[in-house]
Every structure is written in structure tokens, then in C-alpha cells.
Amino acid sequence: MKNKLLWGALPVIFFAGLLIGNIFVFKTKEQGQILYEQHCASCHMEKGEGLAQLIPPVTKSDWLAQNPSKLACLIRYGQKGEITVNGIKYNQPMPPNSRLTEIEIHNLVNYIFNNFENQVQKRSLDKIREDLNTCN
Amino acid sequence: MKYILFLLLIVLFACEQEKKLPILGERQAIDKEVNGKIVTDTVYHTVPAFSFINQDGQTVTDKTFEGKIYVTDFFFTTCPSICPKMKQQMLRVYEKYKNDDRVLILSHSISREDSVAVLKEYAKKINIESKKWHLVTGKWTDIETMAKQYFIGVQEDADEPGGYLHNGNFVLVDKQKRIRATCDGTNPKDVEKFLLDMDILLNEK
């Protein structure tokens, strides 16, 4: 009888284990990361390192640290003209992302500020809205 | 148990033997007469003659690659989708064989806007030398024709980001102009294996 109970419990333990394992292995990605992979990683690369003197890094970027209010506009409208990042000059157009919503841009901006070895303060959705109203 | 060991040995042995790359593409059997006897010869797909201009304004032809193996791909400097990844990975090939005279790289631009001057600027920014890595341009239809020869599809398409559609494959060509390996040039793991394939080809007798 006891034995039978034990056998009965085994599958339950097994599946519970699988479930817990799943949670550890497939940590749900935040939206910012998904958007980065979809819209930015092809150029700035998965780890944010960029490419030679063609595409600037978003990793440890001093431009980001100095211009936190400009990222929302840069994402929405792209960027043209010379820009200096970590002492290296870049000059190659970045295309706009006109389809991203304010909330998506908010999530993307904060994902970048908190990852890629950047330590830029989080921006609220209101701030992002303000930023987007001042794009030139 | 003994049986399994035996099988394992066979498998190991089979793996050891495989030190040659396959020859890709269509092949034809052609009957030839040699000393009065009919023998069947296999004719493989080979890359035909071509002529383009590189980032330094020099003419680059099939002769440029005589006696060398080379890696080739198709890209354009303003391509927003897969090209930065491809170039990041091609730079691995460049770095690995920078001082190896047996290897060259040939990247074709498929954009009509990529003039010699634009290619030169691009080469400068990724810090490469034309004696190892040719970035070439030419008549669009010539580029398209060559892409087909390397089994790469290219297309002008206004709906695509950047205006052109192409795949990101790297293609490895041997000294006899035969295609010996391809890989997805945007996939670092695939490129890892491709680099090993290049070594196998270099060691072939």
C-alpha cells in the first residue's frame, strides 16, 4: 500500500520538477530585450559591441551617459551626421523606427540603460513622452 | 558489449577518414577518349571568368585568385538587415588568415550606389587591406550573374529595407574554382565550422 502511494507520487514529483526547471531555464524575457533583438541587434550586435568604426557600441557608451534624454528621439527618428562615442567618430546613418509606440520606446530605453554595462538612471514614461515632444 | 565496441571503432574510423570537403553543385559525367579508350570523366560546377573593380580602383578578375582559395559573399554598405553581422563574421575570417598568402576574400556589392569611393571609405572604417579583402563593384547584371554562380540569390526589391534582397551566405572556392563549402555568414557557430572547413581545404593534397 505504502509502495503504491510512493509510485503514485513519483509522476507528480517528476512533473513538478520539470515545471520548476522550466522556470529557471526559460526566464521570460522583458519586452525591452525582445525589441532590442528585433530592431537593434542586427547592427549593434547581441552584446551591444557595434562594428569597427561603422556602428558605435551601445555597451558602456559615454554618449548614452551624457545624452539620456536623446535616446527616445534617436530610436524613433534615426540618426544622421557625425557622432562621437567613447572617443571614436562615427558617421553612418541609422534608420528610423517609426512604428514603435511610446511604451515600447520606454521599455527599450530602460532596457538599454540597465544593461550593456550602462548605468544610466531609469526614465519614466512621462519623461519619455516629454523627450519625444522635443525631437528635432 | 564487444559488438558495441566494434561498432564504435567503425564509426571512429569513418570519422577519421573524412578529411576532404565535398564538391558542391551540379556535376556532369562526360565521356572522353583517352588512348583509344572511352573513359568517363566527372565535370564539376566551376566559377566562370569575371571582372570587377575593387575599393582601390584596381581591376579584380578570376586571375587575381589563381592558385588561391577564396571566400566570397554579397552585401552592400548601407544594408540595414544582415550585413553588419556578415561583416563582423567575415572579419573573423580576415583576422585568421591575414598573414596567410593562400587565402583571399571577395565581397561583392549589390548596390548601384556603392561606388569605388564609397567602398574605399567602408574598407577604411572596418580597417581592411585590399591585398587580402577585395570589396568590388561592377555592372549590376554582372554581379547578379556571378551571385547565381555561387548559388546566392540577389534581387532588387523596393519593399526590402535598403532596397535589395540577398542571402548572407559565405562561399568557399578552391584553386580549381570549385565550390567546396558554404555557411550562413550571420551565424557565428556556422562560421566556426566554416573556418575549420577552410583549414581542411588548405590541407587537402
Side-chain angles (χ1 to χ4, degrees):
Chain A
M1 183 60 205
K2 232 185 186 171
N3 236 332
K4 237 186 190 168
L5 241 171
L6 204 70
W7 282 114
L10 255 177
V12 178
I13 294 168
F14 177 75
F15 283 109
L18 267 188
L19 194 79
I20 292 166
N22 253 322
I23 290 167
F24 276 102
V25 176
F26 303 103
K27 261 196 308 190
T28 45
K29 286 184 188 170
E30 50 183 305
Q31 189 191 33
Q33 182 180 1
I34 295 167
L35 290 171
Y36 180 82
E37 284 164 4
Q38 275 175 354
H39 300 282
C40 322
S42 66
C43 286
H44 293 282
M45 308 292 161
E46 258 93 46
K47 296 198 183 79
E49 73 268 33
L51 178 62
Q53 285 168 52
L54 218 55
I55 297 163
V58 293
T59 301
K60 268 196 194 155
S61 156
D62 64 353
W63 185 90
L64 279 177
Q66 288 154 22
N67 302 282
S69 63
K70 287 193 187 161
L71 182 54
C73 290
L74 181 141
I75 291 172
R76 178 166 277 177
Y77 297 106
Q79 152 74 27
K80 265 202 193 87
E82 201 174 273
I83 188 168
T84 305
V85 184
N86 300 342
I88 298 174
K89 285 194 180 116
Y90 298 85
N91 192 354
Q92 170 100 359
M94 167 175 153
N97 293 276
S98 41
R99 293 222 188 103
L100 294 181
T101 64
E102 282 172 348
I103 294 175
E104 284 173 327
I105 291 180
H106 171 252
N107 288 337
L108 185 50
V109 164
N110 284 317
Y111 173 70
I112 291 170
F113 283 174
N114 282 311
N115 290 280
F116 305 107
E117 297 171 58
N118 292 319
Q119 283 163 0
V120 186
Q121 227 190 345
K122 269 199 172 213
R123 279 184 102 65
S124 67
L125 185 53
D126 281 342
K127 269 257 180 308
I128 294 288
R129 285 200 175 113
E130 251 172 63
D131 293 346
L132 285 172
N133 279 331
T134 57
C135 296
N136 35 30
Chain B
M1 188 59 204
K2 254 187 202 161
Y3 184 62
I4 290 174
L5 263 178
F6 181 66
L7 263 178
L8 227 106
L9 264 176
I10 289 182
V11 171
L12 273 177
F13 191 67
C15 290
E16 270 304 301
Q17 290 260 303
E18 214 188 347
K19 278 280 188 254
K20 248 178 166 306
L21 298 177
I23 297 164
L24 306 178
E26 254 176 58
R27 58 193 62 186
Q28 278 177 308
I30 287 185
D31 289 337
K32 271 202 307 200
E33 207 184 299
V34 180
N35 299 334
K37 270 194 234 159
I38 301 285
V39 288
T40 307
D41 215 10
T42 313
V43 178
Y44 296 98
H45 171 81
T46 56
V47 177
F50 57 85
S51 177
F52 296 118
I53 309 274
N54 77 2
Q55 68 265 40
D56 287 339
Q58 299 159 330
T59 304
V60 171
T61 70
D62 45 303
K63 297 268 185 321
T64 311
F65 301 90
E66 224 158 59
K68 317 258 185 195
I69 72 167
Y70 67 99
V71 182
T72 190
D73 71 351
F74 291 75
F75 84 114
F76 56 111
T77 59
T78 49
C79 151
S81 50
I82 57 176
C83 301
K85 283 249 167 74
M86 290 169 70
K87 287 295 155 278
Q88 183 194 45
Q89 294 304 315
M90 194 63 98
L91 278 167
R92 291 174 70 191
V93 178
Y94 181 82
E95 287 302 328
K96 180 166 175 191
Y97 298 102
K98 206 153 88 179
N99 300 314
D100 189 332
D101 288 339
R102 300 170 298 172
V103 180
L104 290 176
I105 305 174
L106 172 63
S107 288
H108 306 74
S109 166
I110 59 167
S111 167
R112 297 179 196 273
E113 264 96 73
D114 282 348
S115 60
V116 168
V118 171
L119 292 178
K120 181 155 187 87
E121 186 63 26
Y122 192 88
K124 211 174 82 190
K125 283 181 182 165
I126 58 173
N127 195 16
I128 58 163
E129 288 184 52
S130 65
K131 69 179 206 293
K132 170 64 67 188
W133 188 347
H134 300 279
L135 306 176
V136 299
T137 176
K139 254 202 352 231
W140 204 85
T141 45
D142 289 352
I143 300 270
E144 187 192 26
T145 304
M146 286 313 294
K148 284 201 188 107
Q149 294 292 332
Y150 295 114
F151 313 127
I152 288 180
V154 301
Q155 216 178 305
E156 275 193 292
D157 185 342
D159 291 337
E160 276 301 309
Y164 299 90
L165 186 68
H166 64 119
N167 83 19
N169 280 10
F170 293 171
V171 175
L172 178 61
V173 182
D174 71 10
K175 287 180 190 166
Q176 286 91 52
K177 310 281 180 207
R178 299 173 306 186
I179 292 173
R180 303 301 297 276
T182 69
C183 78
D184 175 358
T186 64
N187 180 335
K189 281 216 187 84
D190 232 30
V191 173
E192 195 70 50
K193 187 176 167 289
F194 188 79
L195 288 170
L196 298 177
D197 282 348
M198 288 180 69
D199 287 334
I200 294 175
L201 182 59
L202 284 170
N203 288 328
E204 267 183 18
K205 289 189 189 78

